[in-house]
């Protein structure tokens, strides 16, 4: 079999790239290790930058997003019992959109199915071959049958644990990593959100986040220890911990209920350079990871997809490889700014085990400056709503 672009990974990155290319008549095959149901069972962040919203529109999958998403003009920041708002719309004339990442992926699956474009679920043992040559190919197994796809390019959209990044020789790769000394315990509950905007809270006992999916589905997180197991956290313990980390007036308004999903995620910052090796291009979590504070994971994957999509278009339509040759440089320039912002948000909002009294004062001063300075708020707003592509 032959195609123009093999896309390894059927998460948001791979599916968005596949849909954009398909609409321009560029032939792709998506190879996804898991089932559609499994991928859609993953609960991920729900804040979309306008750049991603625009890409979804360009991909022809913006209708449900437009109909069912919520515009968020700002966010709230709480520090112990004090809380202040940052209104992105008033400060810089831009907002973000709240729409579950699962729904982004679902819309892209539906569009690909409707277009009749190929996606192979439960593709096993995907292996990349001759990516540094002009004749790359990918092998995999499906229902026990060995298969091969020859292609022009391979898009490695298979996430942090995928095969693509590891297909680049270690001698070629430079990896940067910071592992945070805590995790996030998240729950989903069929309860009305405590506030119609998100609340990021730094309390003396640790971080908490109040988010949502819609008016009757709330998403909450509390910072937890790395050694914690989900089994250590009853719903009652979660709700008590969350309420304790929020300002009193918010905690009193909290509507609790049974969790319908509960999971712990570790936090890390990670970047692997370069994002290209021969005819292999890494996109999204395959190349970089951010802590979820500020919801930059999917949104940074989206800018990777934008740069790669533009580079492939330029190659196929104009026979010009300039966009592909500059892909890694352009993608990484924005990736590192998202890494910085996510690290900064994480640093000012969480309690670190080794924090000295001076460190705590620095955190308090950072939050006070953000509360009191419109300039500081503009800088945060510009990063939160998404820097230009
Ligand atoms: N072969 C085929 N598919 C694979 C392989 C493999 N060897 N390894 C992983 N995959 C699939 C996974 O099952 C997953 O569906 O690749 C997909 C990668 O999707 P994500 O991990 O979601 O990464 P990405 O598409 O880049 O999306 C980034 O999603 O994970 C969140 O926080 C992340 O918001 C960010 C966004
Ligand atoms: C979420 O809604 O899951 C969410 C929102 C903002 C974040 C992280 C997660 O920074």
């Amino acid at each position: 079999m032959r195609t123009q672009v093999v896309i390894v990974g059927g998460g948001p990155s791979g599916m968005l790239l596949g849909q954009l290319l398909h609409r321009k008549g560029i032939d792709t095959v998506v190879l996804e290790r898991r089932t559609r149901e499994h991928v859609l069972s993953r609960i991920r962040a729900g804040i979309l930058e306008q750049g991603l919203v625009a890409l979804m529109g360009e991909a022809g999958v913006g209708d449900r997003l437009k109909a069912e998403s919520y515009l968020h003009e700002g966010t709230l920041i709480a520090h112990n019992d004090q809380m202040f708002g940052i209104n992105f719309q008033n400060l810089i004339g831009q907002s973000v959109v709240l729409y579950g990442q699962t729904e982004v992926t679902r819309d892209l699956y539906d569009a690909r199915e409707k277009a009749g474009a190929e996606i192979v679920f439960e593709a096993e043992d995907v292996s990349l071959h001759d990516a540094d040559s002009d004749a790359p190919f990918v092998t995999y197994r499906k229902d026990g049958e060995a298969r091969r796809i020859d292609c022009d390019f391979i898009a490695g959209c298979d996430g942090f644990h995928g095969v693509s990044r590891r297909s680049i020789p270690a001698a070629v790769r430079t990896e940067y990593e910071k592992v945070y000394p805590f995790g996030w315990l998240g729950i989903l509950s069929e309860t009305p959100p405590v506030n119609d905007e998100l609340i990021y809270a730094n309390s003396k006992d640790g971080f908490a986040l109040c988010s949502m999916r819609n008016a009757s589905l709330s998403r909450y997180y509390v910072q937890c220890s790395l050694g914690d197991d989900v089994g250590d956290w009853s719903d009652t313990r979660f709700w008590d911990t969350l309420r304790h980390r929020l300002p009193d007036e918010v905690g009193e308004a909290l509507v609790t209920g049974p969790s319908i999903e509960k999971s712990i995620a570790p936090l890390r910052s990670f970047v692997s350079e370069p994002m290209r090796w021969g005819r292999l291009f890494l996109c999204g979590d395959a190349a970089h990871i951010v802590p979820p504070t500020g919801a930059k994971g999917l949104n940074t994957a989206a800018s990777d997809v934008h740069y790669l999509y533009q580079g492939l278009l330029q190659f196929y339509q104009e026979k010009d490889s300039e966009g592909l040759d500059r892909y890694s440089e352009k993608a990484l320039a924005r990736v590192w700014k998202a890494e910085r912002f996510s690290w900064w948000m994480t640093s000012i909002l969480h309690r670190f085990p080794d924090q000295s009294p001076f460190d705590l004062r620095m955190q308090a001063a950072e939050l006070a400056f953000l509360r009191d300075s419109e300039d500081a708020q503009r800088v945060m707003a510009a990063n939160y709503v998404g820097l230009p592509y």
Side-chain angles (χ1 to χ4, degrees):
M1 178 183 187
R2 177 168 188 85
T3 191
Q4 289 173 294
V5 183
V6 171
I7 297 174
V8 185
S13 298
M15 296 310 295
L16 179 57
L17 178 65
Q19 183 62 12
L20 288 164
L21 293 173
H22 181 82
R23 281 170 64 89
K24 292 294 183 182
I26 296 170
D27 193 39
T28 60
V29 175
V30 175
L31 301 177
E32 168 51 50
R33 177 165 62 180
R34 311 302 294 261
T35 64
R36 172 188 169 123
E37 294 68 29
H38 179 94
V39 175
L40 293 178
S41 70
R42 296 176 187 141
I43 304 294
R44 296 279 167 66
I47 296 290
L48 309 189
E49 296 174 358
Q50 294 298 348
L52 173 50
V53 173
L55 276 176
M56 290 289 281
E58 187 172 355
V61 290
D63 291 349
R64 191 164 77 100
L65 189 159
K66 195 172 179 181
E68 298 180 14
S69 65
Y70 296 78
L71 195 68
H72 276 214
E73 294 191 353
T75 191
L76 291 163
I77 305 279
H79 184 211
N80 294 327
D81 242 6
Q82 282 202 343
M83 189 159 74
F84 60 94
I86 299 180
N87 190 307
F88 315 135
Q89 192 61 43
N90 291 345
L91 288 161
I92 60 168
Q94 294 177 61
S95 298
V96 291
V97 162
L98 186 119
Y99 188 71
Q101 180 177 309
T102 304
E103 303 318 309
V104 168
T105 311
R106 191 193 314 280
D107 293 341
L108 288 163
Y109 277 163
D110 291 347
R112 190 159 184 93
E113 196 174 317
K114 187 176 172 189
E118 177 139 18
I119 177 167
V120 180
F121 288 106
E122 297 182 285
E124 298 176 316
D125 301 331
V126 172
S127 184
L128 283 54
H129 306 271
D130 296 346
D132 60 335
S133 78
D134 288 341
F137 64 96
V138 176
T139 58
Y140 66 98
R141 281 188 314 108
K142 172 66 178 173
D143 301 332
E145 179 197 342
R147 297 187 183 174
R148 167 174 169 151
I149 309 178
D150 291 89
C151 54
D152 299 333
F153 300 104
I154 304 169
C157 303
D158 47 349
F160 184 69
H161 301 289
V163 66
S164 296
R165 183 177 71 251
R166 290 184 279 112
S167 299
I168 300 176
V172 174
R173 278 184 280 129
T174 303
E175 297 189 349
Y176 304 84
E177 184 170 47
K178 178 181 182 61
V179 178
Y180 296 87
F182 39 73
W184 276 20
L185 168 65
I187 74 157
L188 208 52
S189 66
E190 290 169 332
T191 54
V194 73
N195 191 291
D196 57 13
E197 285 192 334
L198 271 58
I199 303 175
Y200 290 87
N202 174 337
S203 84
K204 62 181 175 46
D205 299 318
F207 170 81
L209 171 59
C210 303
S211 184
M212 67 214 68
R213 290 294 174 267
N214 58 49
S216 56
L217 191 58
S218 298
R219 179 67 170 168
Y220 293 109
Y221 299 91
V222 295
Q223 171 185 343
C224 65
S225 303
L226 272 180
D228 278 4
D229 180 90
V230 174
D232 301 330
W233 285 84
S234 67
D235 284 3
T236 302
R237 182 186 175 195
F238 179 89
W239 291 120
D240 290 347
T241 302
L242 175 66
R243 184 179 289 111
H244 194 64
R245 294 185 183 178
L246 297 171
D248 290 346
E249 80 266 19
V250 179
E252 285 154 14
L254 191 63
V255 176
T256 65
S259 59
I260 58 173
E261 193 273 347
K262 193 187 291 182
S263 54
I264 291 180
L267 273 68
R268 79 173 76 238
S269 299
F270 175 86
V271 179
S272 178
E273 295 185 352
M275 290 174 59
R276 174 202 186 170
W277 184 59
R279 290 189 171 233
L280 168 61
F281 296 86
L282 302 183
C283 251
D285 277 17
H288 45 75
I289 296 288
V290 287
T293 334
K296 290 301 163 198
L298 176 59
N299 290 300
T300 310
S303 49
D304 294 349
V305 167
H306 165 80
Y307 296 127
L308 183 52
Y309 164 57
Q310 293 299 332
L312 288 166
L313 268 190
Q314 192 178 13
F315 176 83
Y316 282 113
Q317 292 181 348
E318 303 165 33
K319 300 287 178 274
D320 179 351
S321 66
E322 186 260 350
L324 293 177
D325 294 341
R326 293 194 59 211
Y327 167 72
S328 185
E329 167 209 343
K330 289 166 77 170
L332 283 167
R334 192 174 188 276
V335 162
W336 277 112
K337 292 172 185 168
E339 290 285 341
R340 182 209 66 81
F341 178 68
S342 306
W343 160 81
W344 174 77
M345 279 274 278
T346 303
S347 303
I348 67 168
L349 290 169
H350 292 74
R351 290 302 163 102
F352 291 70
D354 61 351
Q355 260 173 326
S356 68
F358 178 81
D359 295 334
L360 286 170
R361 277 285 193 257
M362 286 299 97
Q363 228 181 35
E366 188 86 46
L367 288 163
F369 181 58
L370 187 60
R371 180 193 65 219
D372 301 338
S373 162
E374 272 204 13
D375 292 334
Q377 292 184 10
R378 276 192 194 88
V379 169
M380 179 189 164
N383 283 277
Y384 196 96
V385 302
L387 298 176
Y389 283 8

